[in-house]
Amino acid sequence: MSYTDSEIEATCEGSYSFTRTWRVIDDCGYVSLSDSVQTITVVDTVRPTYTRPLDITFYKDENCNADTSVTSAGEPTNVADNCTSAPTVTYTDSEPADITLYKDEDCEVLTSTTETGEPTVVADNCTSAPTVTYTDSELTPICDGGFTFTRTWRVVDDCGNVSLSDSIQTITVVDTVRPTYTKPLDITLYKDSNCNADTSVATAGFPTMVVDNCAATPTVTYTDSELNFTCEGSYSFTRTWRVVTDCGNVSLSDSIQTITVVDTVRPTYTRPLDITFYKDENCNVDTSVTSAGEPTNVADNCTSAPTVTYTDSEIETTCEGSYSFTRTWRVIDDCGNVSLSDSIQTITVVDTVRPTYTRPLDITFYKDENCNADTSVTSAGEPTNVADN
């Protein structure tokens, strides 16, 4: 048996192949005819080793310059390879930078390498155009519409050597589109007979047309301002609406709804009864409310103490000492609501005291010669001490 080897065909420094052609001949000189070519491939898969330079911090000079060359930043030492006596040392300064992308109004975003970037300064000691590939991790939701994932880059040369540099790019997708809505209209509500008014959203209104590009059901909240009282029972306040998505995007539309609560319920009361007064012996009479009476059962739905007033009409004299007039009562609450019940009280003043006098004394007259007698009051006398109250 004998063999001959072909010339070596190198695929890279350290890896090659050649053929070994075998020949078997017997003692009589007959040579074998079977397939005699053996292909032998030698592959170097041992990675070169080195000690990388230490991490270093540079400070900009007064011209905003910093020397980050390998001369200043350092280069690998203890570079060694099992086959290559002088492995080529190169470096790249970055993979694609981490990036944040933003959802559009349709909650869509492009995460292709056109948008996110791809490795730059791709270099290899032997292969002029190493193959660049990547794989994406599963999406990690961070909110309704936002997520993050990693894109792991892999650069491999023609000999199958794979890059070992930091290869993970973090891609964050964020939704910054604010939700929109139509706020409830300003509204006026009215107090009931118990001074209550329902100012809940069921009555006062709730935002409509609540829409977001990503969130199906944005959160709707509101805060009410302090009450601004205009009177006891009537007030207004503002309700500020806020629509927010799971990603923290807050609506910017007009958010203030004004709610006005008004008391229009009139107060009620029972007026004093009509009354007749009688003059005393001095022709005096007390027609004040103390004697003539004042409204009772005064009540209002909101005002705790409605104001009670009255006005008297002109006196209508029926005789000297007797007359009548009307007293019109008015009850008003703190919000200006006036009572509508029967409000006129009639007050009558009557003089029933009899006058007094002293009558003339009894007298006897005598006829004169003409048979006449003067019985006039001049002669007979008239009452004295005539008096009335």
Side-chain angles (χ1 to χ4, degrees):
M1 290 185 297
S2 63
Y3 65 87
T4 57
D5 289 342
S6 66
E7 290 186 0
I8 291 175
E9 296 182 3
T11 55
C12 61
E13 186 177 3
S15 296
Y16 56 88
S17 65
F18 63 93
T19 58
R20 178 164 287 164
T21 303
W22 291 93
R23 187 171 185 267
V24 180
I25 185 171
D26 64 14
D27 193 49
C28 293
Y30 293 108
V31 180
S32 57
L33 288 178
S34 61
D35 181 19
S36 61
V37 179
Q38 175 189 18
T39 300
I40 298 173
T41 303
V42 177
V43 179
D44 172 24
T45 58
V46 178
R47 299 179 186 272
T49 60
Y50 68 95
T51 302
R52 72 168 178 81
L54 296 176
D55 294 342
I56 191 169
T57 299
F58 288 103
Y59 298 91
K60 291 289 186 73
D61 61 18
E62 63 277 4
N63 296 318
C64 198
N65 295 322
D67 180 12
T68 60
S69 66
V70 296
T71 304
S72 298
E75 56 186 334
T77 57
N78 302 319
V79 179
D81 187 68
N82 62 329
C83 295
T84 304
S85 57
T88 302
V89 179
T90 63
Y91 67 90
T92 58
D93 285 337
S94 62
E95 295 287 346
D98 294 342
I99 192 171
T100 298
L101 304 173
Y102 297 91
K103 289 288 188 74
D104 62 17
E105 62 276 5
D106 296 319
C107 197
E108 295 179 351
V109 67
L110 294 176
T111 59
S112 65
T113 58
T114 304
E115 304 293 330
T116 63
E118 54 187 339
T120 57
V121 198
V122 178
D124 184 70
N125 59 331
C126 298
T127 304
S128 59
T131 302
V132 179
T133 60
Y134 68 86
T135 56
D136 289 342
S137 67
E138 291 186 359
L139 303 183
T140 301
I142 53 178
C143 62
D144 192 2
F147 56 87
T148 184
F149 66 96
T150 58
R151 179 162 286 167
T152 303
W153 293 94
R154 186 173 185 267
V155 180
V156 60
D157 65 13
D158 192 47
C159 291
N161 298 313
V162 182
S163 56
L164 284 178
S165 61
D166 182 17
S167 61
I168 297 178
Q169 176 191 18
T170 299
I171 299 173
T172 303
V173 176
V174 178
D175 170 28
T176 58
V177 177
R178 297 179 185 273
T180 59
Y181 69 98
T182 301
K183 76 171 179 70
L185 295 176
D186 296 342
I187 193 171
T188 298
L189 304 172
Y190 297 91
K191 288 289 187 72
D192 62 17
S193 56
N194 295 318
C195 198
N196 294 324
D198 180 12
T199 60
S200 69
V201 297
T203 302
F206 195 81
T208 57
M209 306 296 292
V210 179
V211 177
D212 184 68
N213 62 328
C214 294
T217 55
T219 302
V220 180
T221 60
Y222 66 88
T223 55
D224 289 343
S225 68
E226 292 185 358
L227 302 183
N228 178 27
F229 282 91
T230 54
C231 59
E232 187 177 1
S234 294
Y235 56 86
S236 66
F237 65 95
T238 58
R239 179 163 286 167
T240 303
W241 292 95
R242 184 175 186 265
V243 179
V244 61
T245 68
D246 187 49
C247 291
N249 299 317
V250 182
S251 54
L252 277 181
S253 61
D254 178 23
S255 60
I256 298 177
Q257 177 192 17
T258 300
I259 299 173
T260 303
V261 178
V262 179
D263 171 30
T264 58
V265 177
R266 298 177 184 273
T268 59
Y269 70 98
T270 302
R271 72 165 177 84
L273 296 176
D274 296 342
I275 193 169
T276 299
F277 288 103
Y278 297 93
K279 289 287 187 72
D280 62 16
E281 64 277 4
N282 296 316
C283 199
N284 294 323
V285 68
D286 180 14
T287 60
S288 69
V289 297
T290 304
S291 298
E294 56 186 336
T296 57
N297 302 318
V298 178
D300 185 69
N301 62 328
C302 294
T303 303
S304 56
T307 302
V308 180
T309 62
Y310 67 88
T311 55
D312 289 343
S313 68
E314 292 184 359
I315 291 175
E316 295 183 2
T317 303
T318 55
C319 62
E320 187 177 3
S322 295
Y323 57 88
S324 66
F325 64 93
T326 58
R327 180 162 287 165
T328 303
W329 291 96
R330 186 173 187 262
V331 179
I332 183 170
D333 67 13
D334 191 52
C335 292
N337 299 311
V338 181
S339 55
L340 278 180
S341 61
D342 179 22
S343 61
I344 299 176
Q345 176 191 18
T346 300
I347 298 173
T348 303
V349 177
V350 179
D351 175 23
T352 58
V353 176
R354 297 178 186 275
T356 61
Y357 67 97
T358 301
R359 71 172 179 80
L361 295 174
D362 294 341
I363 191 170
T364 299
F365 287 100
Y366 297 93
K367 292 285 188 77
D368 60 15
E369 63 277 8
N370 294 315
C371 197
N372 293 325
D374 181 10
T375 60
S376 67
V377 295
T378 304
S379 297
E382 57 185 339
T384 58
N385 302 317
V386 177
D388 187 68
N389 62 329

